[in-house]
Amino acid sequence: MSRPWAEPHRGRVMRALAALVAAAAVFAVQAQPAGLPAVTAPTPADTAPLDANEWNRFAVAIDALRECVERSRDRRTPAQAVATLQALDLAGEMRAQALLLLPADAPSRAALAAAEDDAQAIMRSFQAISAWEPSRPIDQARALAYVYHFEAQATAGACLPSADFLSNYHKALS
């Protein structure tokens, strides 16, 4: 089952995730086969505050969590996901992290800040982050990690973020 907050931007999310995984792979690959366009590795400024090793582990951890979350989507409706996140009292944390991640001039900030209840805050947080189009690799990773981190919470334990995911997610938010 697809998520209403992510569906319009699913292609963009998948492209960003593919770029993250490709960028992480660049650190491990020394040469490109002839005929293929070179993939440029992100610079330390593109991935700060993560170093190259943390960046690679974070990209792999995001992909693993994404796979689990997407496999589990048919087991819950969007309303059940929102209800679970409300029961876990995560609306305030979701709103705060979304506002932290979004650029100051993002139009979705106002709608997110104006959410009248927890259910609206949860939905608008997902919508705001899904609609954001960051250009820096670390911001793309933060956006993907945000969506999959909170959506994993709605799986009631079926999808658990790895230690690499959690440590690098928190470090990336700093």
Side-chain angles (χ1 to χ4, degrees), residues 5 9 12-13 15-16 97-109 124-147 172-173:
W5 55 77
H9 310 289
R12 184 175 38 242
V13 169
R15 285 190 302 276
Q97 283 187 18
L99 290 171
L100 174 72
L101 291 172
L102 292 168
D105 61 347
S108 55
R109 289 179 68 89
R124 289 181 183 181
S125 295
F126 276 126
Q127 290 166 344
I129 296 297
S130 295
W132 180 33
E133 296 182 14
S135 58
R136 290 182 53 225
I138 190 66
D139 292 332
Q140 293 169 354
R142 288 174 178 144
L144 290 170
Y146 173 92
V147 169
L173 290 177

Side-chain angles (χ1 to χ4, degrees), residues 32-56:
Q32 290 285 340
L36 292 179
V39 176
T40 9
T43 66
D46 291 334
T47 62
L50 303 179
D51 65 29
N53 187 37
E54 291 168 327
W55 173 255
N56 287 339

